[in-house]
Every structure is written in C-alpha cells, then in structure tokens.
Amino acid sequence: DAGITQSPRHKVTETGTPVTLRCHQTENHRYMYWYRQDPGHGLRLIHYSYGVKDTDKGEVSDGYSVSRSKTEDFLLTLESATSSQTSVYFCAISEQGVQNTEAFFGQGTRLTVV
Amino acid sequence: GESVGLHLPTLSVQEGDNSIINCAYSNSASDYFIWYKQESGKGPQFIIDIRSNMDKRQGQRVTVLLNKTVKHLSLQIAATQPGDSAVYFCAENRGRGYSTLTFGKGTMLLVSP
C-alpha cells in the first residue's frame, strides 16, 4: 500500500467525543489527502495537504480539522463526533499532486459513532 | 457495517468475457483521469491513468478510452477473471490549479467462474 499506515483501523466512539485519526507515510510524498467513503456517495474529499503546515478544505470539511506538522504524518480530527461522521476514512498520498501523478490509498479506518 | 457496494450499478460477467465499465464526467476542463479498483475491506488501488491529450491507453489486460467530446471514460478489462471482482471508480483531476481528485460513485463488477 505504497508505505501508508492508517491508525486506528477500527474505532467506536460516543457522540460528542473528540477523535483523531492518523495517517503515516514512508514515501516522503508532498501531498496527503483525507477522504471519507459512504454507500451511495463514493469517495469524498475532506481535507488535503500540499506540504508541512499547508492544508486546504475539500468538499465535506465541516466538522473536521487537520494538521500536518511533519511530512510523514497527516492527522484528521473530529472535534465532537456525530453519528453522521460514521464512515470509512481513507488517507491518500501523491508525490507531485494529482495534476501530475496518481494518488495511492491506505487501508482505511472504519469509524462508528454511537 | 453497510458495504460500499450497495446502491451501486452492477456489471455481471462470466470468467473469460471482456468487461467494459463506463464513467461520465461533467467538467470539460478535467485533464487527468484515473481508474481505481477497490476490493472489499481494502483501499482503492490504482489501475491505469490517462491524460486529456490522449484518447486511449493500454496496460496489462486493461485499456482506458477517453472521449472528450461527450465527456466519457471507459475501462475495458480483457479476459475477466474472478479476481477482478471489485468496485471500480473513475476519478478526475479538474485541471490547472486543482490538486485533488473527484471520484465517481463506482461500478461493481461481479465475475462468475
């Protein structure tokens, strides 16, 4: 999986609690992405990063924040989890950005908010 | 949990047949396209890509065709095998200034022995 590790792989949490998902890469790629995948919606972009401390919003960013303090780590935080955030979350990386090179995906994190 | 495969259009083929999976895109400025394969419980896996200055690209057992006039992309899989059973997504980069991919909703391919 192109040197991408997501943690945890599964998590169950209660409504209103904060949750942080981690994506770690060993490829030294510049771009990192967080997507969520839901039945009937496919993959939708939450946030992405184009370098250390450089991030931008995707199409479904409400309720999520991200941080990238090192090239290899991209964190996704749900400040106060809601049931609508129950989903499978995928991290992806791209060497030069998806204008030029493909994105490679991690194995996913299944998050359930109860 | 509910499978990502629910609610998706499904293509059912016999082993050995050729499969064609279609994708329509909406943005005429999109200039880079990728097909991904996703098996159950795994992340999407890169299959093949194509840039807008091409109309056809071939890989191993796969061919991608791009018709910019009607904004249509297709993935052809030759001699389909049971291991090809998965959900297939097309993704597009919407052109200069965009650093992200926009995904289609996917097609499930079921291959019977």
Side-chain angles (χ1 to χ4, degrees):
Chain A
D1 294 311
I4 307 169
T5 303
Q6 291 186 231
S7 58
R9 292 293 314 279
H10 301 273
K11 186 170 182 66
V12 179
T13 193
E14 293 186 348
T15 299
T17 60
V19 177
T20 296
L21 308 183
R22 181 185 184 228
C23 179
H24 178 78
Q25 60 142 331
T26 58
E27 305 296 323
N28 202 37
H29 283 358
R30 179 182 171 191
Y31 289 80
M32 298 185 76
Y33 307 84
W34 277 109
Y35 284 86
R36 62 177 287 174
Q37 186 172 38
D38 306 287
H41 291 280
L43 286 142
R44 294 180 292 173
L45 181 68
I46 305 171
H47 283 279
Y48 70 101
S49 169
Y50 47 97
V52 174
K53 294 189 173 24
D54 292 323
T55 64
D56 206 349
K57 295 179 180 180
E59 61 179 299
V60 291
S61 60
D62 286 349
Y64 301 95
S65 62
V66 290
S67 66
R68 191 163 177 208
S69 59
K70 298 184 289 185
T71 298
E72 58 266 34
D73 289 323
F74 192 33
L75 304 180
L76 176 71
T77 297
L78 291 66
E79 301 291 347
S80 177
T82 67
S83 58
S84 65
Q85 294 176 310
T86 292
S87 187
V88 181
Y89 291 86
F90 287 100
C91 173
I93 64 173
S94 178
E95 184 173 9
Q96 300 174 22
V98 293
Q99 293 170 299
N100 298 302
T101 56
E102 66 269 31
F104 297 97
F105 284 78
Q107 291 279 59
T109 295
R110 182 173 293 276
L111 176 68
T112 303
V113 183
V114 297
Chain B
E2 192 175 12
S3 166
V4 69
L6 291 179
H7 314 300
L8 292 177
T10 300
L11 174 64
S12 297
V13 302
Q14 296 285 323
E15 182 177 3
D17 288 350
N18 295 331
S19 302
I20 300 176
I21 300 171
N22 297 303
C23 178
Y25 64 95
S26 58
N27 192 327
S28 58
S30 292
D31 61 3
Y32 179 50
F33 303 87
I34 305 175
W35 280 101
Y36 284 92
K37 171 186 180 183
Q38 187 177 26
E39 296 173 282
S40 183
K42 297 186 177 180
Q45 178 185 6
F46 172 86
I47 302 173
I48 191 168
D49 59 359
I50 189 168
R51 299 193 184 279
S52 58
N53 61 354
M54 305 172 69
D55 52 23
K56 180 179 181 179
R57 191 164 189 221
Q58 289 185 289
Q60 187 176 11
R61 277 202 310 118
V62 295
T63 300
V64 55
L65 298 178
L66 175 62
N67 185 331
K68 295 181 287 293
T69 301
V70 296
K71 297 196 285 287
H72 184 267
L73 197 67
S74 68
L75 177 70
Q76 300 178 357
I77 304 174
T80 314
Q81 304 167 359
D84 295 326
S85 293
V87 177
Y88 290 80
F89 293 95
C90 64
E92 62 185 294
N93 175 258
R94 292 188 168 175
R96 189 175 176 83
Y98 284 87
S99 301
T100 62
L101 290 174
T102 300
F103 282 79
K105 290 185 170 43
T107 296
M108 177 171 283
L109 176 65
L110 296 175
V111 184
S112 306

